[in-house]
Amino acid sequence: DAGITQSPRHKVTETGTPVTLRCHQTENHRYMYWYRQDPGHGLRLIHYSYGVKDTDKGEVSDGYSVSRSKTEDFLLTLESATSSQTSVYFCAISDSGKPSTNEKLFFGSGTQLSVL
Amino acid sequence: QQQVKQSPQSLIVQKGGISIINCAYENTAFDYFPWYQQFPGKGPALLIAIRPDVSEKKEGRFTISFNKSAKQFSLHIMDSQPGDSATYFCAASISRGGTASKLTFGTGTRLQVTL
């Protein structure tokens, strides 16, 4: 999946515990994204990053925080997990440079998170 | 508010038939419309995309038809094959070079192509 590694691939946790998901890329792409996928909702953008230490909120950012300390790593943290955050989480990347390359998103294989 | 509405939710097509998936959008500022294909256990992958300056774009067996006045676009899969069985997502965004691309996705269509 275009040099994108998400870890862990599966995680089960309890309500109220903190959880951190990791996305690592080897493509040196500038932009990184976190989406969640739920039945009936498609994919929804949680947070995105446009550079090291530069991040912004997406449409469903409540309850989530992110950090990007290196170009290759983008972390998604659930400070206090809730059952409504049970979902499949996808990391995506896109590049800058030539026109329109920022629009072509490459996705990782996802992390299945269950909050009990 | 669902800005991109996709239908049908699921679709069964016989091998060799035509699969058609439809999407409608609300935001007239959208000017980039990609389709993504997702196989079980994998992330979505870009299949084909169109901009509103053309009404149709074809890549192999996959065609996007775009109707700007109706704010609708559709994916046609000609000669559908069992290997096309996957979930398909339409999406839309406002093109802004030099920034992150914030796609709004439809809810997905699960396509099954039978023998």
Side-chain angles (χ1 to χ4, degrees):
Chain A
D1 290 314
I4 305 168
T5 303
Q6 290 187 235
S7 59
R9 290 298 312 276
H10 303 271
K11 185 168 182 68
V12 180
T13 191
E14 293 185 349
T15 299
T17 60
V19 177
T20 296
L21 308 183
R22 181 179 183 240
C23 178
H24 177 79
Q25 61 145 330
T26 58
E27 305 296 324
N28 199 35
H29 281 8
R30 177 177 178 180
Y31 306 113
M32 299 186 76
Y33 312 80
W34 277 107
Y35 281 87
R36 61 177 289 175
Q37 183 176 6
D38 305 285
H41 291 277
L43 293 108
R44 292 178 292 174
L45 182 63
I46 305 172
H47 281 279
Y48 63 96
S49 169
Y50 44 95
V52 173
K53 298 186 179 178
D54 290 324
T55 65
D56 206 347
K57 297 178 180 179
E59 63 177 300
V60 290
S61 60
D62 288 348
Y64 301 95
S65 63
V66 291
S67 66
R68 192 173 179 194
S69 59
K70 296 185 290 185
T71 298
E72 57 266 35
D73 291 326
F74 193 32
L75 304 180
L76 176 71
T77 297
L78 291 65
E79 301 291 346
S80 177
T82 68
S83 58
S84 65
Q85 293 176 312
T86 292
S87 186
V88 181
Y89 291 86
F90 285 99
C91 174
I93 63 174
S94 67
D95 203 5
S96 58
K98 289 189 290 185
S100 303
T101 55
N102 65 316
E103 297 174 319
K104 297 177 182 177
L105 268 61
F106 300 93
F107 284 82
S109 295
T111 294
Q112 173 69 61
L113 176 67
S114 297
V115 183
L116 306 178
Chain B
Q1 182 183 7
Q2 186 66 41
Q3 291 198 60
V4 179
K5 295 184 179 179
Q6 184 172 347
S7 63
Q9 187 174 358
S10 63
L11 182 62
I12 299 175
V13 174
Q14 280 195 325
K15 179 182 176 181
I18 302 173
S19 304
I20 302 174
I21 305 171
N22 301 299
C23 283
Y25 62 97
E26 300 170 3
N27 188 345
T28 55
F30 287 149
D31 60 359
Y32 175 68
F33 303 91
W35 285 89
Y36 280 78
Q37 178 188 55
Q38 184 181 31
F39 294 106
K42 300 291 187 181
L46 179 63
L47 185 63
I48 186 173
I50 197 168
R51 298 189 190 278
D53 54 341
V54 295
S55 60
E56 186 175 283
K57 183 174 182 179
K58 183 177 181 179
E59 289 184 4
R61 296 184 293 108
F62 300 91
T63 300
I64 300 179
S65 297
F66 184 81
N67 185 329
K68 187 174 181 179
S69 62
K71 295 188 289 185
Q72 295 176 346
F73 58 110
S74 60
L75 177 69
H76 296 237
I77 306 174
M78 311 300 288
D79 187 26
S80 298
Q81 299 297 313
D84 296 330
S85 297
T87 299
Y88 293 81
F89 293 94
C90 63
S93 69
I94 302 170
S95 293
R96 290 196 181 99
T99 67
S101 176
K102 295 191 286 183
L103 288 170
T104 298
F105 282 87
T107 52
T109 296
R110 179 174 286 187
L111 171 66
Q112 182 182 353
V113 181
T114 61
L115 294 172

